[in-house]
Amino acid sequence: MHDTLWGVAEADAIQSTPEPPTPEPPMPQPPMPRPPAVPAEEKVDIPDGVSAFVAKVLNQLSLSAWLPATLFAASVTLLVQFRADNSWSVSLALDRITDDWKKVLLLAVPALVLATMVTQASSFAAIRFLEGYWRRNGPLGLLRSALIYRHVRRLERLQRKRNAAADKAFAKAKDALRGRAPYTPNVLSGLEMKAIGRDVPDYLTAEERGTVRKLNWRSKCNAWDLAKVDHLEALQRDYPALKRRIMPTKLGNVLRRTEDNLRNTGGDLSSFVMRRREKVSPRIQLQHDQFRDRLDMYCTLVFVSGALSMISVALLLHHVHHWWQIAVYAGGFLGFACVSYSSAVSSARGYCVALQAMDDPPSGSVAGPAL
């Protein structure tokens, strides 16, 4: 009986014991804000230290500046070795350089980078100088006036030679055309004036004038006679249409002729390319950039080669056995300067074609983003 009561009391005690409170679930925390996404084109790894500085400097240097600077650094290295060896032997100089290449590399690499920076910074000035934009006062001003006078007289001679060649070419064809319709004597006289760039005679009737306008004086001429005419006309096209716009150099005249023919400059030629670039196709943009880079490079090479010619004389004087050995290197660099100038003129012609395409894009061309 006692055990039963105790069991009942224990059971009541167990039932009356309060259960521990159930812990409440934690309040949800707001998610941490994500950092703004960086576009793919802006994700650039930025290295630290000296390598970052070197990479940034090298990234600013163009290929058109590296090539002239490489020529300058390599040539000066060889010339210094010639002076040290008292010899002009290239093979001997290369052997000495390869024997101590680490020292040479330590000196040549900084010189190469510095030369590249200088050539790139001066490329635009080189183009302007070779165009003939010189100071009006002093010796350069006198030289500028003399060269402009020379080019004006040359253009006049080209015009006379072209007219004489055209007259000769048409004279041979006129004998075969005489007596055939519609080549009447008056029409032949009009075609002859047309061939040499003169006005049609006043005594021609309106019908005969119309016939002269329709006929091509070249149609019956010999190809070998017209070849000389075409050559002289091509030389004339390197000059501006107005004599008062003639520049003192060939490069300046080639560029000036195109600049005068551009119609959409808006009175500001310096910003023409920036305003018209996005209105043309990527192909024309690429062509413009290629020819402009070549023009920069060749104009810079003119001055680099000229400087190397003078440096070769200064370094080799009294350090080689014969004067003609100095003349070989100095003359070689001067010859390369002349070749570079000729290449600059050729590049300028291609550059002018790109400018004309920007000025008047071909119908149907699709403008693209700037490259």
Side-chain angles (χ1 to χ4, degrees):
M1 185 67 179
H2 183 271
D3 294 337
T4 303
L5 292 175
W6 176 258
V8 172
E10 185 178 2
D12 293 340
I14 293 174
Q15 292 178 357
S16 61
T17 301
E19 296 181 358
T22 303
E24 297 181 358
M27 295 294 293
Q29 297 295 328
M32 295 296 293
R34 294 183 178 181
V38 180
E41 61 271 12
E42 297 183 5
K43 293 182 179 180
V44 180
D45 294 333
I46 304 179
D48 298 326
V50 178
S51 60
F53 173 77
V54 173
K56 185 178 295 185
V57 170
L58 297 181
N59 190 42
Q60 300 298 319
L61 303 177
S62 63
L63 181 62
S64 60
W66 277 108
L67 295 179
T70 302
L71 173 66
F72 182 82
S75 299
V76 170
T77 301
L78 280 175
L79 292 173
V80 170
Q81 193 62 49
F82 291 159
R83 179 185 177 92
D85 296 338
N86 291 327
S87 172
W88 72 315
S89 174
V90 177
S91 59
L92 178 61
L94 292 177
D95 290 339
R96 296 295 179 85
I97 291 173
T98 54
D99 290 341
D100 196 7
W101 63 271
K102 293 182 179 180
K103 181 179 179 181
V104 174
L105 191 64
L106 184 63
L107 298 175
V109 170
L112 174 61
V113 175
L114 181 61
T116 305
M117 296 173 63
V118 172
T119 54
Q120 179 165 305
S122 58
S123 61
F124 181 72
I127 296 175
R128 298 288 288 181
F129 187 88
L130 293 178
E131 282 187 78
Y133 291 99
W134 308 333
R135 295 182 59 182
R136 296 182 181 273
N137 300 325
L140 284 180
L142 297 176
L143 179 62
R144 181 175 184 271
S145 300
L147 290 176
I148 291 177
Y149 178 83
R150 173 179 173 270
H151 278 288
V152 170
R153 294 293 174 261
R154 182 174 184 266
L155 179 59
E156 293 174 351
R157 289 195 304 271
L158 289 174
Q159 183 66 45
R160 291 194 297 268
K161 290 180 179 179
R162 182 266 170 205
N163 292 340
D167 189 23
K168 181 180 178 181
F170 184 74
K172 295 180 180 180
K174 185 167 62 173
D175 295 336
L177 297 175
R178 187 176 287 113
R180 298 170 55 185
Y183 298 99
T184 64
N186 287 347
V187 171
L188 289 176
S189 298
L191 288 177
E192 186 174 7
M193 294 297 103
K194 185 178 179 181
I196 61 178
R198 295 182 182 179
D199 295 332
V200 177
D202 296 333
Y203 56 80
L204 267 68
T205 64
E207 182 181 358
E208 290 172 337
R209 289 175 179 270
T211 303
V212 171
R213 283 194 298 268
K214 294 178 182 178
L215 294 176
N216 185 0
W217 69 270
R218 291 170 167 259
S219 59
K220 302 300 180 180
C221 295
N222 296 323
W224 51 89
D225 292 326
L226 292 177
K228 185 176 182 180
V229 178
D230 294 337
H231 173 68
L232 294 170
E233 289 180 349
L235 294 178
Q236 287 181 272
R237 284 194 293 270
D238 285 341
Y239 287 94
L242 302 176
K243 291 182 180 179
R244 60 182 176 83
R245 296 283 292 167
I246 287 180
M247 298 290 290
T249 66
K250 186 175 183 179
L251 177 64
N253 287 316
V254 170
L255 293 173
R256 174 63 65 84
R257 179 181 177 88
T258 300
E259 293 169 357
D260 290 348
N261 292 335
L262 297 178
R263 300 189 302 271
N264 298 304
T265 59
D268 185 9
L269 185 62
S270 59
S271 62
F272 169 78
V273 174
M274 292 183 288
R275 287 184 284 107
R276 303 287 298 181
R277 184 178 181 84
E278 294 185 357
K279 298 181 180 180
V280 299
S281 64
R283 180 174 176 270
I284 297 178
Q285 296 178 16
L286 181 61
Q287 185 184 34
H288 168 271
D289 295 343
Q290 289 176 345
F291 281 110
R292 180 52 192 261
D293 289 342
R294 295 174 191 174
L295 181 61
D296 290 347
M297 182 182 67
Y298 289 127
C299 288
T300 305
L301 280 173
V302 172
F303 290 95
V304 169
S305 301
L308 288 173
S309 179
M310 294 184 289
I311 291 174
S312 62
V313 175
L315 290 179
L316 300 182
L317 191 63
H318 305 304
H319 287 273
V320 293
H321 301 293
H322 304 286
W323 64 268
W324 59 266
Q325 296 174 346
I326 301 176
V328 168
Y329 285 105
F333 286 124
L334 285 179
F336 188 70
C338 295
V339 173
S340 298
Y341 182 77
S342 178
S343 301
V345 174
S346 300
S347 299
R349 293 192 180 100
Y351 177 66
C352 289
V353 172
L355 291 179
Q356 292 170 351
M358 286 184 170
D359 185 53
D360 188 16
S363 59
S365 63
V366 179
L371 295 178

